[in-house]
Amino acid sequence: MLKQIEKHILKIEKYKADSIESIEHFRIEYLGKKGVLNDLFLAFKNIPSEEKKEFGQALNKLKIKAQEKVEILQKHFTEKKSLKNREIDLTMSAEPLPLGSRHPLSIVKNDIIEIFSRLGFTISEGPEIEDDWHNFSALNLPEEHPARDMQDTFFIQRNPDTLLRTHTSSVQVRFMENNKAPIRTISPGRVFRNEAISARAHCIFHQIEGLYIDENVSFADLKQTLLHFAQEFFGEETKIRLRPSYFPFTEPSAEVDISCNICKGKGCNICKYSGWVEILGCGMVDPNVLDNCGIDSKKYSGFAFGMGIERITMLKYQVKDLRLFFENDIRFLEQFKHA
Ligand code: DAH
């Protein structure tokens, strides 16, 4: 009897079905009312009690095998069938491809460019690898001038006259050298400084430089232009405040604050409870700089300004960590899709 059970187990293991019907036959053969298992369970009653344990275990094993086999075969066939039945709808539209979006720095750069374009400013660019003259000397920063230390510079080892530009003011110089007054231009670009990377500073960042040269350009023109920019960019209720400052290439020089666009001047942690946040540096172009660049300082005057695009973007979108702009984490970038 035990041998008979073993044979059945082997048969079950080897069994292969070719249709749902044959699985049903197999099920009835083993598990049906008049099936093999029922017969064996009937026979089990008449077995001497000392053999019952061994026989009972073998019988249970056979039952489980048969049940499992039926289950596996049924599952296999229904899956196959459902695959076959799945109709292909050729009119269905494809899965939508995720659309990319502009980088927040590009969005802000373009917004700034647009505002100044409407005032008649053209766009100019210059090289990221600069020489000492365009980055420093022409801008009234002769060698050994202490103000060179305001910006920690990456020099190129093989040729110390070459460096990674520390500001886009170098483009003013190039533009004045190559164009006649009147001049109205803005110069967006990447700049480099040897700074430790933190939430507020990076060794690579972006600036936009502005330059306006004509006869009789005054500080009032500068102030009005910057007020117009601030109100266009941050909202018409925005106020500006000019604080006296020092830059070697402008005289007089100022730093410009806007009324905090987050707390509306009431005081918050962004404006450090002062109600004002700094956005740029500016001033009247120093006559020495005009002369260095071939523009007659007796006939012409002008103003210049420079702002950090990261800083403006952080203020506009309340981004608290500058490093996010360079990590390219899609979860960050996606938030500017509709900006
Ligand atoms: N070049 C300055 C900087 O990187 C910013 C700046 C200040 C630019 C005053 C100007 C200016 O054109 O007039 O910090």
Side-chain angles (χ1 to χ4, degrees):
M1 195 91 108
L2 277 174
K3 273 202 181 136
Q4 216 182 325
I5 294 176
E6 284 298 317
K7 259 192 198 164
H8 279 302
I9 290 182
L10 274 177
K11 197 175 153 194
I12 291 172
E13 279 171 355
K14 281 191 190 148
Y15 178 73
K16 283 198 175 87
D18 51 16
S19 66
I20 296 268
E21 290 76 34
S22 54
I23 299 171
E24 189 54 16
H25 276 135
F26 176 81
R27 192 188 67 79
I28 292 167
E29 187 188 337
Y30 277 94
L31 301 163
K33 263 189 188 156
K34 290 178 184 158
V36 173
L37 270 150
N38 250 355
D39 287 349
L40 287 170
F41 273 109
L42 282 176
F44 178 69
K45 285 183 186 157
N46 304 322
I47 271 185
S49 48
E50 63 273 17
E51 290 173 28
K52 272 207 158 118
K53 193 179 169 201
E54 197 184 359
F55 187 77
Q57 279 175 348
L59 203 52
N60 268 333
K61 189 174 162 195
L62 175 64
K63 190 179 169 188
I64 290 168
K65 278 264 172 207
Q67 284 171 335
E68 277 178 358
K69 187 78 181 190
V70 170
E71 243 173 66
I72 291 170
L73 289 172
Q74 280 174 342
K75 205 173 153 208
H76 179 72
F77 267 88
T78 46
E79 269 173 15
K80 232 177 163 177
K81 212 173 148 192
S82 70
L83 270 180
K84 250 193 200 160
N85 283 357
R86 193 183 292 168
E87 282 191 15
I88 300 171
D89 180 357
L90 294 175
T91 63
M92 217 160 93
S93 48
E95 291 279 328
L97 288 174
L99 265 188
S101 52
R102 261 193 218 295
H103 193 282
L105 294 177
S106 299
I107 295 174
V108 166
K109 180 185 82 177
N110 291 341
D111 285 352
I112 299 173
I113 288 176
E114 210 184 298
I115 294 169
F116 283 102
S117 300
R118 287 201 293 267
L119 296 179
F121 282 73
T122 59
I123 302 166
S124 49
E125 283 183 343
E128 292 176 351
I129 301 174
E130 255 309 356
D131 51 40
D132 185 282
W133 170 255
H134 292 96
N135 197 80
F136 290 128
S137 300
L139 288 164
N140 229 7
L141 278 146
E143 236 174 282
E144 313 298 338
H145 194 293
R148 284 195 180 203
D149 292 343
M150 285 163 84
Q151 303 170 356
D152 215 339
T153 311
F154 286 117
F155 289 95
I156 291 173
Q157 228 169 22
R158 263 194 292 168
N159 178 0
D161 187 50
T162 2
L163 45 90
L164 297 181
R165 68 177 175 197
T166 57
H167 52 184
T168 42
S169 302
S170 55
V171 189
Q172 301 187 12
V173 178
R174 288 186 178 271
F175 200 89
M176 285 190 274
E177 283 173 343
N178 296 313
N179 295 275
K180 288 201 172 80
I183 288 170
R184 250 182 288 181
T185 189
I186 48 167
S187 328
R190 222 160 31 153
V191 300
F192 309 83
R193 285 185 204 175
N194 187 11
E195 301 229 12
I197 296 170
S198 71
R200 315 188 86 239
H202 208 287
C203 53
I204 302 177
F205 56 101
H206 301 77
Q207 288 188 330
I208 290 197
E209 188 81 10
L211 178 69
Y212 185 16
I213 312 278
D214 206 342
E215 288 176 38
N216 301 319
V217 176
S218 71
F219 202 92
D221 297 323
L222 168 62
K223 196 177 164 192
Q224 187 56 35
T225 306
L226 295 178
L227 176 65
H228 173 79
F229 162 70
Q231 293 185 337
E232 286 283 298
F233 189 86
F234 289 105
E236 59 186 273
E237 70 291 349
T238 310
K239 295 188 194 70
I240 62 166
R241 170 174 93 168
L242 276 72
R243 281 178 290 108
S245 185
Y246 170 74
F247 298 102
F249 28 91
T250 42
E251 183 58 37
S253 305
E255 273 167 309
V256 177
D257 299 339
I258 56 161
S259 50
C260 181
N261 63 324
I262 289 153
C263 65
K264 308 283 170 233
K266 285 193 202 92
C268 67
N269 57 352
I270 301 288
C271 62
K272 302 203 189 83
Y273 299 94
S274 69
W276 296 95
V277 279
E278 187 195 317
I279 58 159
L280 56 84
C282 64
M284 299 306 292
V285 181
D286 192 300
N288 285 343
V289 175
L290 294 176
D291 292 331
N292 283 341
C293 303
I295 294 203
D296 182 359
S297 63
K298 292 198 180 63
K299 188 167 176 209
Y300 293 104
S301 57
F303 64 72
F305 56 87
M307 62 184 118
I309 301 179
E310 279 78 0
R311 188 172 174 75
I312 306 269
T313 313
M314 285 170 96
L315 286 175
K316 172 132 187 182
Y317 297 116
Q318 297 175 39
V319 177
K320 304 231 160 59
D321 192 325
L322 191 138
R323 287 168 291 198
L324 285 164
F325 293 128
F326 303 95
E327 281 165 4
N328 280 337
D329 186 328
I330 201 97
R331 291 165 302 178
F332 171 69
L333 298 177
E334 259 175 359
Q335 298 175 47
F336 301 90
K337 249 186 186 154
H338 307 292

